[in-house]
Amino acid sequence: MASHSDTLVVFFGATAGENGGKLGSDEREIILLVWQIVDLHEKKVGKLHKCFVKPDTLELTDQCKEETGLTVDDIVKAEPLDKVLQQFQQSVSSEVKCLGRTTYTLCVDSPLVIRQALHPEASKKNLVLPECFFSFVDVRKEFHKCCPNAGPAQKLTLTSMLECILYHKFSCVETVNYKFDSGTCSKTEPVDSETVIRARGLPWQSSDQDIARFFKGLNIAKGGVALCLNAQGRRNGEALVRFINSEHRDLALERHKHHMGSRYIEVYKATGEEFLKIAGGTSNEVAQFLSKENQVIIRMRGLPFTATPQEVLAFLGPESPVTDGTEGLLFVKYPDGRPTGDAFVLFSCEEYAQNALKKHKQILGKRYIELFRSTAAEVQQVLNRYMSTPLISTLPPSPIVPVPVLTTPPFLPAASSTRDCVRLRGLPYTAGIEDILEFMGEHTVDIKPHGVHMVLNQQGRPSGDAFIQMKSPDKAFMVAQKCHKKTMKDRYVEVFQCSTEEMSIVLMGGTLNRSGLSPPPCKLPCLSPPTAYAAFPTPPAILSEAALYQPPLLAAPRPPQTTAHSPAHTLAYYPPQPHLYMNMNMNYTAYYPSPPVSPSTVGYFAAPPAVAAAVAAQPHHAAAAASPVLPQPGALVRMQGLPYNTGVKDILSFFQGYQVSTWNCEMKALVCVWMCDVCVLCFSSFK
């Protein structure tokens, strides 16, 4: 219970737009300030001061003209807001001093003039408000508490309410926070849904302090700003904001479509569950990192995976010292301990943080580093996202027609505990089969035929992983010892010895490193190909034809038809099997079977001499019987990068002037639908 002083300063204001209960909701500027001093001890009222304020936009609404009686001519020669505020402070200080007092209490008939008009406008114009505007008394609230049976306070004048509460002790002195306090939020902490809003349309570089500045005048709870991230870990222009009570939340909703710079911000209601999902965390490491008060957080992105704390500190330099040295650094890692390239840094003051931000896009090692402001909630969100991410994510299940599924790809041996395989992790995304063989060096001769398997992600791009089957466990052990952390295209590659059983577990989302094997977080049922492909009722023959052009579906070699113009160097290619291997636990993972030192073409590989001789000696009718899919001679061409709306007619038009197998193109329409960017055509001849 705080008792008010003997001197009151009654304050009132009006804007160029909405006034009364909607004051400040339309983002219009202040055009009028009125104040008067009341001496409670002597029961005297001072002079009424009325000052016009010149806004940046000289335009008044009809409602404003009617309620205030002002015109544009009245304010065109007025002083701007900063000058009027100086005049207010000088006038009040002088009168209070004349009364022999040193303190006074600011009283308003509505908090809107302070919270929704004065503070937001001063924040936009970078004005420093006098101390008195951060603590005030709402006369209407006090009157309602003092005289609960006096009727609605809205029907009473400010003078009549003051007369009733002259000797009343003010029970609630309202305050405005000077700044936003960052902090952490536990997932077990109760959050009232009536205190949370969602702000949408934020600039991507905005920080929690920028958002707190947008809501200046309203009190945000400690750590109550949570910036939302997209699937790639980047900000999506949304934030969840938690206020101290529902009254401040309701005032925040009135700022819907107010502006932050040149962008208007949408403000909607949100729930406490949504806030905890973004800002809540349970990591002790994060809690310890964020336990230091009043720290500025900077996020670093794009760090080399080999970067050490000392290298990061040297990169930031002595002009931006990190709080507590290496203790002020938090590296973001995957569950298996691999670095993600992200880190958070603490600085004790704004000056150090600004010096660090000047390093934006400067080089560390061979990579440029991005630096930008961050928040405690973003630290929690980023750590939650990466720590819950499996090595290889899975596709969501979809209702599709069943297709026969193999338990093991036809080119891989059955799962066993024999550790005759190695896993390569951290490959450059541009690395091909030839690069891996060059990386293996003298150990290439110990690779089993068709023993190189490159893992692709869901988009069909290299994932940075590969598995290699060696001829014996001793050979695999030797490769892991000699090639571990060896460099390939300026990147070091990790090499682990493993078994085919461990290989399968890793492909299903488990982890494998030198610390041991961790099983996958979950096991999902095997599913059929994507819905778009399965939507077409296709016979088994067409499924086999489609399988021909997917690297993970290559199987045992089948000789092509011998023709008069066939080249001397016999080729063997790998046809489809009548079943598809499709395990959605492996994120549509593709394998690339390739014999050692062979070209990395999709379907054709040089056949060993013995196989070539057998192919040459094989009768024509036997070869025809072994190839039920493409009995006619010809050649296949693979097209990549097709537009998603490409049809069969577009492809035939592209090859106008060349003879294309019509039957083959009709079936490839299904391949187009499934693969989106790949089409394979069969030509009746190849030259």
Side-chain angles (χ1 to χ4, degrees):
M1 298 282 287
S3 176
H4 64 310
S5 65
D6 290 338
T7 308
L8 304 181
V9 177
V10 182
F11 187 79
F12 173 81
T15 68
E18 294 281 356
N19 288 287
K22 288 291 185 179
L23 180 69
S25 62
D26 55 357
E27 213 176 359
R28 301 300 292 268
E29 296 172 272
I30 295 174
I31 60 169
L32 176 64
L33 291 181
V34 180
W35 66 90
Q36 188 175 31
I37 292 182
V38 178
D39 185 355
L40 299 180
H41 183 72
E42 300 292 338
K43 297 182 180 180
K44 293 181 179 179
V45 177
K47 177 183 176 182
L48 181 67
H49 299 270
K50 184 176 181 181
C51 289
F52 299 139
V53 181
K54 182 179 180 180
D56 294 338
T57 303
L58 293 173
E59 182 180 353
L60 306 180
T61 63
D62 294 337
Q63 181 182 1
C64 172
K65 294 177 181 178
E66 181 180 350
E67 292 179 351
T68 63
L70 300 178
T71 63
V72 175
D73 296 335
D74 296 327
I75 62 175
V76 69
K77 296 181 180 181
E79 296 287 347
L81 181 61
D82 58 336
K83 299 294 184 182
V84 175
L85 290 176
Q86 291 179 9
Q87 183 179 345
F88 164 82
Q89 191 171 14
Q90 293 172 358
S91 173
V92 171
S93 299
S94 176
E95 290 191 49
V96 170
K97 188 176 181 180
C98 292
L99 295 174
R101 315 287 166 71
T102 56
T103 61
Y104 59 90
T105 300
L106 186 71
C107 296
V108 295
D109 69 336
S110 170
L112 298 181
V113 64
I114 302 293
R115 298 193 182 277
Q116 295 288 73
L118 188 59
H119 274 281
E121 185 173 343
S123 177
K124 289 180 181 179
K125 296 180 177 180
N126 295 318
L127 305 180
V128 179
L129 291 176
E131 188 79 14
C132 63
F133 291 114
F134 290 87
S135 175
F136 62 93
V137 172
D138 184 353
V139 175
R140 293 186 183 274
K141 284 184 180 179
E142 293 298 330
F143 174 79
H144 182 71
K145 292 178 181 179
C146 179
C147 308
N149 300 322
Q154 289 80 3
K155 297 182 179 180
L156 300 174
T157 64
L158 183 60
T159 303
S160 60
M161 289 187 290
L162 282 173
E163 290 177 353
C164 295
I165 61 174
L166 282 179
Y167 303 102
H168 168 68
K169 292 183 179 180
F170 295 147
S171 60
C172 182
V173 177
E174 299 195 25
T175 60
V176 177
N177 291 343
Y178 288 95
K179 64 176 183 177
F180 167 70
D181 293 327
S182 60
T184 59
C185 178
S186 172
K187 284 187 178 294
T188 60
E189 181 179 342
V191 177
D192 186 2
S193 294
E194 296 300 317
T195 63
V196 183
I197 62 96
R198 179 183 294 272
R200 182 179 299 164
L202 299 166
W204 69 268
Q205 71 273 24
S206 58
S207 66
D208 54 354
Q209 298 294 339
D210 297 321
I211 296 171
R213 187 175 181 180
F214 174 80
F215 290 108
K216 187 66 176 178
L218 307 178
N219 294 342
I220 300 175
K222 183 178 181 179
V225 176
L227 296 167
C228 302
L229 306 180
N230 59 19
Q232 289 73 39
R234 298 177 181 269
R235 297 172 185 175
N236 62 3
E238 294 188 5
L240 293 170
V241 185
R242 176 189 178 192
F243 294 92
I244 60 171
N245 56 41
S246 59
E247 179 185 355
H248 288 234
R249 193 283 304 264
D250 293 339
L251 293 179
L253 293 173
E254 294 293 331
R255 300 194 188 184
H256 180 61
K257 292 196 174 181
H258 283 203
H259 288 77
M260 179 184 291
S262 59
R263 299 174 65 96
Y264 73 84
I265 309 301
E266 301 174 19
V267 183
Y268 304 100
K269 291 182 179 180
T271 66
E273 293 180 358
E274 291 175 318
F275 182 82
L276 286 176
K277 184 178 180 181
I278 300 298
T282 57
S283 172
N284 293 331
E285 183 181 16
V286 176
Q288 182 178 358
F289 176 75
L290 298 174
S291 62
K292 303 175 181 64
E293 297 287 342
N294 302 321
Q295 299 292 311
V296 183
I297 306 175
I298 298 295
R299 182 179 178 183
M300 303 180 70
R301 189 165 59 197
L303 291 169
F305 295 148
T306 57
T308 63
Q310 289 72 24
E311 291 175 337
V312 173
L313 293 177
F315 171 79
L316 294 171
E319 64 275 8
S320 49
V322 178
T323 302
D324 295 338
T326 57
E327 296 296 325
L329 294 175
L330 178 64
F331 288 90
V332 183
K333 298 180 180 180
Y334 288 108
D336 60 355
R338 287 183 297 133
T340 64
D342 280 29
F344 293 94
V345 190
L346 294 179
F347 295 98
S348 59
C349 66
E350 186 67 29
E351 179 184 356
Y352 295 159
Q354 288 292 345
N355 293 336
L357 291 173
K358 295 177 182 178
K359 303 279 187 178
H360 180 61
K361 291 197 173 181
Q362 291 190 16
I363 303 298
L364 174 59
K366 295 184 178 181
R367 299 176 65 95
Y368 74 86
I369 311 301
E370 296 178 284
L371 292 96
F372 44 89
R373 292 179 177 276
S374 186
T375 67
E378 186 174 18
V379 176
Q380 292 277 22
Q381 191 178 173
V382 171
L383 266 293
N384 291 343
R385 180 185 300 273
Y386 280 112
M387 291 304 294
S388 61
T389 302
L391 264 181
I392 303 177
S393 58
T394 57
L395 287 174
S398 55
I400 47 183
V401 297
V403 177
V405 175
L406 294 181
T407 56
T408 307
F411 47 84
L412 285 180
S416 74
S417 58
T418 305
R419 298 173 63 81
D420 57 351
C421 300
V422 293
R423 177 188 179 190
L424 273 61
R425 187 172 68 187
L427 294 169
Y429 294 133
T430 57
I433 298 294
E434 292 83 358
D435 299 309
I436 292 180
L437 298 178
E438 182 181 354
F439 174 82
M440 298 286 292
E442 61 183 8
H443 303 286
T444 302
V445 295
D446 299 323
I447 301 176
K448 286 184 179 181
H450 319 297
V452 180
H453 310 284
M454 294 190 68
V455 182
L456 307 182
N457 62 17
Q458 183 180 344
Q459 290 74 35
R461 300 188 180 97
S463 66
D465 279 24
F467 289 96
I468 300 177
Q469 297 170 252
M470 308 302 293
K471 291 181 178 179
S472 68
D474 294 338
K475 302 294 184 183
F477 175 79
M478 188 64 65
V479 171
Q481 292 296 318
K482 294 291 184 66
C483 297
H484 183 60
K485 291 198 174 180
K486 192 176 166 184
T487 302
M488 180 191 296
K489 295 184 177 180
D490 297 330
R491 294 191 62 168
Y492 76 87
V493 179
E494 297 175 287
V495 182
F496 304 107
Q497 185 181 8
C498 66
S499 64
T500 53
E501 181 182 7
E502 292 170 333
M503 183 192 310
S504 301
I505 292 178
V506 170
L507 292 175
M508 294 175 65
T511 59
L512 173 65
N513 51 38
R514 291 188 176 272
S515 301
L517 178 69
S518 300
C522 61
K523 293 184 178 181
L524 301 178
C526 297
L527 301 176
S528 302
T531 309
Y533 174 74
F536 296 86
T538 54
I542 293 184
L543 290 177
S544 297
E545 185 67 14
L548 174 63
Y549 309 102
Q550 286 291 323
L553 307 176
L554 302 178
R558 177 173 65 86
Q561 300 299 322
T562 305
T563 60
H565 60 275
S566 61
H569 187 65
T570 307
L571 298 175
Y573 77 97
Y574 297 78
Q577 297 295 320
H579 302 287
L580 293 177
Y581 177 73
M582 189 68 63
N583 190 329
M584 287 307 173
N585 291 336
M586 298 164 56
N587 190 24
Y588 194 31
T589 304
Y591 296 84
Y592 200 125
S594 171
V597 203
S598 69
S600 58
T601 50
V602 173
Y604 292 88
F605 303 102
V611 177
V615 170
Q618 187 178 14
H620 179 77
H621 62 83
S627 56
V629 177
L630 295 175
Q632 74 278 18
L636 303 178
V637 175
R638 183 179 183 183
M639 303 171 65
Q640 288 184 306
L642 293 171
Y644 288 100
N645 57 353
T646 301
V648 176
K649 292 183 179 180
D650 301 318
I651 298 173
L652 293 176
S653 176
F654 179 81
F655 285 105
Q656 186 175 3
Y658 296 89
Q659 187 174 359
V660 183
S661 171
T662 306
W663 167 84
N664 191 66
C665 283
E666 290 175 350
M667 291 204 303
K668 295 311 166 294
L670 296 177
V671 181
C672 267
V673 172
W674 185 10
M675 300 167 63
C676 296
D677 66 338
V678 178
C679 177
V680 188
L681 297 181
C682 179
F683 289 81
S684 59
S685 63
F686 180 73
K687 296 182 180 179

